[in-house]
Amino acid sequence: MIGLWDTTGNEVVKALAAERRSAGGVASGMALTLIVVVDEKRVREAEAAATIAAAAHPCRLVVVVRADVERERNRLDAEIVVGGRLGPCEAVVTRMYGRLALHAESVVMPLLVPDVPVVTWWHGEPPAEIATDFLGVVADRRITDSAQAPDPIEALRQRARDYAPGDTDLAWTRITPWRTLVAGAFDTTQARVTEATVVAPRTDPTAALMQGWLAARLGIVPTWEHSDESPRMREVQLRCANDDTLTLTRDDSVATFRRTGQDERQLPLVRRPLGDELAEELRRLDADQVYAEALGTTAGLADLDQRPPQRVHVWKDPATAQRAEAGVTAHAGTTAEQ
C-alpha cells in the first residue's frame, strides 16, 4: 500500500504505475474500471462490496471521496492498493478537498484502464441529474441506489425522468430472486394472469419496481397493498384466468410458494450482500431494456430505452446553489416578517 498526502494527480498516476510494476502487472487482466462515489463515513463499506465484486470481475477501483467544496485550499490525498486487502483489483482511494472536489475528473480520467468499459457507482444518494456529474457522463454503465434517498419512491421517478440507456439501480437488482421465482412459477402452466398484488411498505422501491415489472410483462395493473409487517417486500400474489392463485411469501431467507391445488413449497430467497448485488450488475455492460420498461411503467413514462445513451455534461456548482438557496430562504423570511 502507498499513501500520498497533499499530492497531485500526476504523482498518483506515477505511484500507481510503480506499484503495478512491483506487483507483476496486475492490470493486464482488468475487465473494467469501477468508479465509486462515496462519503467518507461509507468508504470501508464500499470497499468491502467492491472486493466481493472484483473477485468475479477483476477491475481497477477508483474511489472518489469529495469533502468540503468551500474549503479555501485545494488538497488531494490518495491511497493505492494493488492486489492487497481489496482482492484481485487495483484500488486508488482519492480524497479531494476544496474546489478540486468539483473537478474530480481531472484526477480520475488518467486513472482509467485503457480500452475497457467504465462503470460509475454512487454508494449513497446520487445526483438528481447524472449529467451534472462528469464521472457519470464518462461511464458506460451507471449504478444508483434509490433506497438510500430520503424518499425512495420519488427517487425512482427521478431516475426515470433522468434515465439514459446504461442506467440501473440496485433496487432493481434486489428483486432478481423474486423475478426468478415468479417467472419459474409459470413453467408448468400457460394460464393468463388477470390480477396481481404486491404486499410491501409504501416506501419500498423494490416493490415499486416489482409492480412496474409485472405491469410491463403481463399487461395488467397490479395492486400495491401497503403493509408494515416487514421492512421490505413481503408477498407477491397472482391470480390467473383459470382461477388459480399463486402466492410467494417471504419469511427471513425463505419464500413459501402456494398454488391452488398443490402443496406448499419452501424456496430460498436470501437477501444478498451488497457486493453480490454489485457483482450482478457488473456482469452486463449493455443497456438493461427490461429494467427500462419496468422503471418507465413505474413512473408512467414510455420508451425510456429509445432515449440516446450519450449524456452531455451539465456544469453545476453545488456551493453556488447552496448559497442561492440560502439567500432565497433568508429573503422569504424577511418578507414574512414585514
Side-chain angles (χ1 to χ4, degrees), residues 4 10 13 46 62 109 115 119 128 135 148 154 165 167 171 177 179 191 193 206 210 227 234-235 280 289 299 334:
L4 302 172
N10 190 40
V13 173
V62 182
M109 292 296 286
D115 302 321
V119 180
L135 299 180
Q148 298 192 33
E154 177 55 33
D167 292 0
R179 292 187 291 120
V193 176
T206 62
M210 174 60 77
S227 171
R234 171 152 175 87
E235 185 174 282
E280 179 183 326
Q289 186 175 359
T334 302

Side-chain angles (χ1 to χ4, degrees), residues 200-260:
R202 66 176 63 247
T203 59
D204 185 359
T206 62
L209 286 172
M210 174 60 77
Q211 186 182 36
W213 177 67
L214 291 172
R217 296 286 95 185
L218 302 175
I220 60 176
V221 181
T223 301
W224 185 346
E225 183 179 312
H226 298 141
S227 171
D228 294 325
E229 292 182 4
S230 172
R232 54 191 184 273
M233 185 163 55
R234 171 152 175 87
E235 185 174 282
V236 174
Q237 183 180 104
L238 306 175
R239 183 176 293 277
C240 303
N242 61 0
D243 290 332
D244 278 3
T245 299
L246 294 77
T247 305
L248 272 172
T249 305
R250 189 216 303 258
D251 290 297
D252 294 326
S253 60
V254 175
T256 301
F257 177 66
R258 301 179 182 88
R259 182 171 183 170
T260 303

Side-chain angles (χ1 to χ4, degrees), residues 295-309:
L295 181 65
T297 304
T298 298
L301 299 174
D303 300 326
L304 296 189
D305 60 319
Q306 300 302 313
R307 295 180 181 180

Side-chain angles (χ1 to χ4, degrees), residues 94-112:
T94 62
R95 292 174 171 85
M96 304 179 192
Y97 304 88
R99 302 293 293 179
L100 174 64
L102 299 179
H103 303 280
E105 68 277 4
S106 64
V107 176
V108 172
M109 292 296 286
L111 297 173
L112 304 182

Side-chain angles (χ1 to χ4, degrees), residues 43-65:
V43 170
R44 296 308 176 196
E45 186 179 311
E47 287 180 348
T51 300
I52 295 174
H57 311 280
C59 63
R60 178 174 293 171
L61 172 65
V62 182
V63 179
V64 177
V65 183

